[in-house]
Amino acid sequence: MDKRIEIIQGDITRIPVDAIVNAANSSLLGGGGVDGAIHRAGGKQILEACQAVRAKQGGCNVGDAVITVAGHLPAKYVIHTVGPHWRPGGNNEDALLANCYINCLRLAEDNHINTLSFPNISTGIYRFPKQKAAEIALKTITRSLINHHNIEKIIIVCFEEENYDIYKALEKNHYC
Ligand code: ADP
């Protein structure tokens, strides 16, 4: 695994970084889970910035990402990405989840962001299987980092113990 990746358990709204990634929904108007926590802790500046993005481009597609200010959060920016909803039968969810990580890292690079934190995108309300999501996240971040020399640290913030244990086991087994 790339030495720049760190896995911790905690609340993403409390960890200082240049940019915090939000697992948003396509409306960009806030929701439950980590999205709700980010908007609550960051305050109305984030919602206003999201509304400005909506006015310009009408929301955010699954797999894409947009960047806003971070309000009261201990960060300069929030990068909002929309993970795929897991649906039995398959609707390209794996590739869409990978796109979230790829597009967040691209935005980070474009905005000279050195440190960023990711939640476990899609593994809450969107019900993506946790093991599979963790493997996609680690594989995609590791591959993308090869081309992103300015990014110094990526903190994967697991809220739930189950996700933390999955990531730690992958790290221990040198998954990437
Ligand atoms: P999604 O709709 O993409 O599934 P959720 O917010 O429901 O988004 O869940 C994504 C992940 O974020 C879940 O693993 C959930 O446990 C986690 N999460 C919820 N609150 C926080 C928080 N404050 N900090 C970090 N992760 C969080």
Side-chain angles (χ1 to χ4, degrees):
M1 202 166 84
D2 193 300
K3 295 271 178 294
R4 291 173 282 175
I5 303 173
E6 190 185 338
I7 297 156
I8 65 165
Q9 189 177 7
D11 176 349
I12 204 165
T13 64
R14 294 178 175 270
I15 298 152
V17 280
D18 291 339
I20 295 174
V21 173
N22 180 20
N25 58 49
S26 292
S27 77
L28 296 175
L29 294 177
V34 70
D35 196 9
I38 283 174
H39 278 277
R40 267 195 307 278
K44 71 173 186 344
Q45 277 171 286
I46 300 178
L47 183 61
E48 284 166 3
C50 285
Q51 283 164 338
V53 174
R54 270 173 67 86
K56 214 165 93 188
Q57 67 175 54
C60 182
N61 291 328
V62 177
D64 281 349
V66 300
I67 190 164
T68 69
V69 293
H72 303 302
L73 289 168
K76 287 190 213 124
Y77 304 102
V78 174
I79 297 177
H80 307 261
T81 188
V82 182
H85 218 130
W86 179 263
R87 290 190 180 88
N91 284 287
N92 212 20
E93 288 95 346
D94 293 15
L96 290 168
L97 183 61
N99 283 348
C100 291
Y101 288 95
I102 292 166
N103 286 320
C104 287
L105 290 166
R106 184 183 45 76
L107 267 183
E109 181 84 9
D110 291 350
N111 288 277
H112 312 289
I113 286 161
N114 299 128
T115 58
L116 78 160
S117 57
F118 279 102
N120 306 133
I121 301 164
S122 283
T123 66
I125 297 159
Y126 284 178
R127 295 191 160 278
F128 205 103
K130 293 184 168 74
Q131 178 75 33
K132 200 174 172 55
E135 289 171 7
I136 291 168
L138 281 183
K139 204 162 47 187
T140 309
I141 293 170
T142 303
R143 281 188 191 152
S144 298
L145 278 178
I146 296 167
N147 302 315
H148 294 317
H149 303 287
N150 296 329
I151 295 176
E152 289 165 6
K153 184 169 269 305
I154 290 183
I155 308 175
I156 297 176
V157 184
C158 304
F159 194 61
E160 301 153 37
E161 185 132 28
E162 191 186 347
N163 269 326
Y164 180 71
D165 291 345
I166 289 171
Y167 273 92
K168 279 300 196 188
L170 288 169
E171 183 185 37
K172 199 169 145 219
N173 295 324
H174 305 290
Y175 175 72
C176 282

